[in-house]
Amino acid sequence: MTLTLTDTLKTKKEEEEEEEEQFNDAEDQQKPQFTLSTEAKPKSLDEVDGKLKALKLKYGTSSSPSSSQYPSSNNSVKLYLHIGGNTPKAKWIVSDKRAYYSFAKTSKIDDEDDDEESDGGAGISWWALKVGSKVRARVSTDMQLKLFGDQRRVDFVANGVWALKFPTDEAYRKFITEFQDYLFENVHGLKATEENKIKVYGKEFIGWLKPEAADDSMWEDADDGGLKSPEPATPVRASQDLLEEFEEAANGGVQSLALGALDNSFLVNDTGVQVYRNFNRGIHGKGVSVKFDGESSSAGRFSTPKKALLMRAETNMLLMSPLKEGKPQATGIHQLNIETGKIVTEWKFEKDGTDITMRDITNDTKSSQLDPSESTFLGLDDNRLCQWDMRDRRGMVQNIAAANSPVLHWTQGHQFSRGSNFQCFATTGDGSIVVGSLDGKIRLYSKTSMRQAKTAFPGLGSPITHVDVTYDGKWILGTSDTYLILICTLFTDKDGKTKTGFGGRMGNRIPAPRLLKLTPLDSHLAGANNKFHGGHFSWVTENGKQERHLVATVGKFSVVWDFQQVKNSAHECYRNLEGLKSCYCYKILLKDESIVESRFMHDNFAVNDSPEAPLVVATPMKISSISLSGKRQH
């Protein structure tokens, strides 16, 4: 058969049209597997090109389909732009068929002196990615880089949602390596040499440095007897399988949510505490509220409590208000008797006769709020970790009536050297403590010692703003602005026993963490200034029960992951990946205003036709209860 130049050009045009059609057939970025065949095309084009050359036709290099579509430079890419958001008209368009990318050090993103990131002439610079004349972006996790190894493609956010398509596997891998190296340098201020990576992460955490070399078996061993969630053909989109049960007005100004495991839950707003009744389908307002008097006090300004902690079989609540607006630290707490609706005590934080501050408080254990005799709780400040006791030193409850300003007793704890920068903490079922820090480190403390961490995970550089831990202490969920990090604490000691990192120092076979992320499109839709906050496991307080879901909030989104699916090493998201395993399979609940907090109710309130207790979502003006569909199979 004789092949003409017209046939060849037609072949090229058809292939380009087919590629565009396949790119847009994906509907949106929620589907991690775009069906985009890239292996056969270059091969077939090369065959055509060879036959044409054999015919000795006169055409320049630029008319070769393979060279025009995929320029010879290693830095050449095809640039796509996603338009239409999440509307039915959403699609990918070709922004530049032949673009070139480069990485360069700069102290500002744009050439103009606008409001883009800059260091005001201080001489500080960072690595930025430039693609043609259309993309300028600082290399950071804010770009939400998402990899499609089988398609030689990366998607990312940079004042829009973009995709780069690479001509060869080698070019794709070169870009990924460069990006990861420059990201490391931007985060840590060190060149991405093996020596510097070990300096940052430590030899024990080879999985943070080289995930392919980490021991992944612990993830499977902890996977509840090998039960796996069914793999959906495509990830769940938007609010599918999230069924709203109740929605009620919340009287405005909601600051925090305190869920109870017994009869009631509570919303704290600007004016007081609203009481809700717990049901199997969610929470309903009882029409009962405790009003604040708005007066200042020795324990800090009372009109804006940001933290509420239930105690003593959920009959009392500790309320902590920041000393200054915008600063989390408080000099004390108020104790509210829920049954009487009265503030019974204003406690001060004091050590050795000196007033001190706390940035966070939590219960001694995951279930101690159910203990009617509970009298102690934990406190955290930038460089302090301690336990407070509401009894006096003789073990008797203090005579509040006779005490003008009762002082909490520091029963145990440690003041660390400056630089610890603790941000958040949580406790397990047995009272072990996990602490997240500004530098991204996550430290594990046993219930017997707050002085020395048993294990310190290096983190990935982003500050940990919230941390949670499963009841059994096997799993930790850290929240950063742009991703959640899920850590397995299990390890095998030298005697062959399986322990958690709370009970012993983990060795050099530490499992690599997994990341939970939004797709670039969803991250873009969430808004440039919206950040992840408040990542939680679902709530169990019984040995042998396993948490089933994870939830976090970003902007107007509540985002829910299936815990079993995330742990499954064979999960679809983890194929063709470079670096740490990242999961993009989630369900989104969209509200009409920014969400204050999203939490699962206690496992007591799960019903037979649902795989989980209801999800409670609080916005400044409303409180909603959502059930998960019971379609899950085992």
Side-chain angles (χ1 to χ4, degrees), residues 389-618:
D389 196 334
M390 294 185 285
R391 298 167 297 187
D392 70 13
R393 298 186 188 281
R394 295 182 299 277
M396 303 292 289
V397 175
Q398 295 189 61
N399 184 352
I400 304 305
N404 183 29
S405 212
V407 173
L408 291 160
H409 294 301
W410 172 299
T411 58
Q412 61 170 317
H414 188 64
Q415 297 200 92
F416 296 86
S417 59
R418 293 188 179 275
S420 300
N421 290 321
F422 295 154
Q423 298 289 296
C424 49
F425 69 153
T427 51
T428 66
D430 70 356
S432 299
I433 306 166
V434 55
V435 180
S437 301
L438 189 65
D439 60 3
K441 288 183 179 178
I442 293 178
R443 296 174 173 88
L444 311 187
Y445 295 87
S446 73
K447 60 182 178 180
T448 57
S449 173
M450 298 181 185
R451 179 176 292 273
Q452 181 68 44
K454 290 287 187 181
T455 302
F457 295 100
L460 301 173
S462 298
I464 299 298
T465 59
H466 188 271
V467 71
D468 197 12
V469 58
T470 55
Y471 186 81
D472 58 18
K474 293 179 181 178
W475 308 94
I476 292 167
L477 184 66
T479 305
S480 77
D481 289 349
T482 53
Y483 58 83
L484 307 182
I485 180 169
L486 181 65
I487 295 173
C488 177
T489 70
L490 292 172
F491 74 103
T492 304
D493 69 10
K494 55 187 177 183
D495 297 324
K497 295 180 180 178
T498 300
K499 295 181 177 178
T500 71
F502 293 100
R505 188 169 297 279
M506 299 176 75
N508 60 2
R509 299 278 288 172
I510 297 173
R514 294 187 183 170
L515 304 182
L516 310 181
K517 297 180 179 180
L518 291 182
T519 64
L521 177 60
D522 282 335
S523 178
H524 183 64
L525 294 174
N529 297 319
N530 288 318
K531 301 170 181 178
F532 271 123
H533 64 91
H536 290 277
F537 292 101
S538 51
W539 188 15
V540 301
T541 55
E542 185 177 326
N543 277 318
K545 281 200 172 184
Q546 180 65 69
E547 294 80 354
R548 293 183 290 258
H549 290 87
L550 314 160
V551 63
T553 301
V554 53
K556 298 177 181 179
F557 295 165
S558 278
V559 191
V560 178
W561 281 266
D562 183 312
F563 193 15
Q564 286 290 102
Q565 195 174 67
V566 173
K567 287 189 285 186
N568 182 3
S569 294
H571 175 46
E572 192 77 16
C573 279
Y574 304 147
R575 297 176 190 172
N576 303 302
L577 269 187
E578 305 263 344
L580 294 172
K581 289 182 170 70
S582 299
C583 183
Y584 296 90
C585 285
Y586 45 74
K587 302 174 185 180
I588 287 179
L589 179 80
L590 173 64
K591 304 303 289 183
D592 56 8
E593 57 179 339
S594 290
I595 295 169
V596 175
E597 196 164 2
S598 306
R599 295 280 305 274
F600 282 104
M601 294 180 69
H602 191 275
D603 190 59
N604 289 342
F605 298 99
V607 292
N608 292 333
D609 61 346
S610 176
E612 189 60 85
L615 175 67
V616 177
V617 178

Side-chain angles (χ1 to χ4, degrees), residues 108 132 162 201 270 373 383 460 522:
K108 58 185 178 182
W162 304 88
Y201 296 127
D270 291 339
S373 62
N383 303 301
L460 301 173
D522 282 335

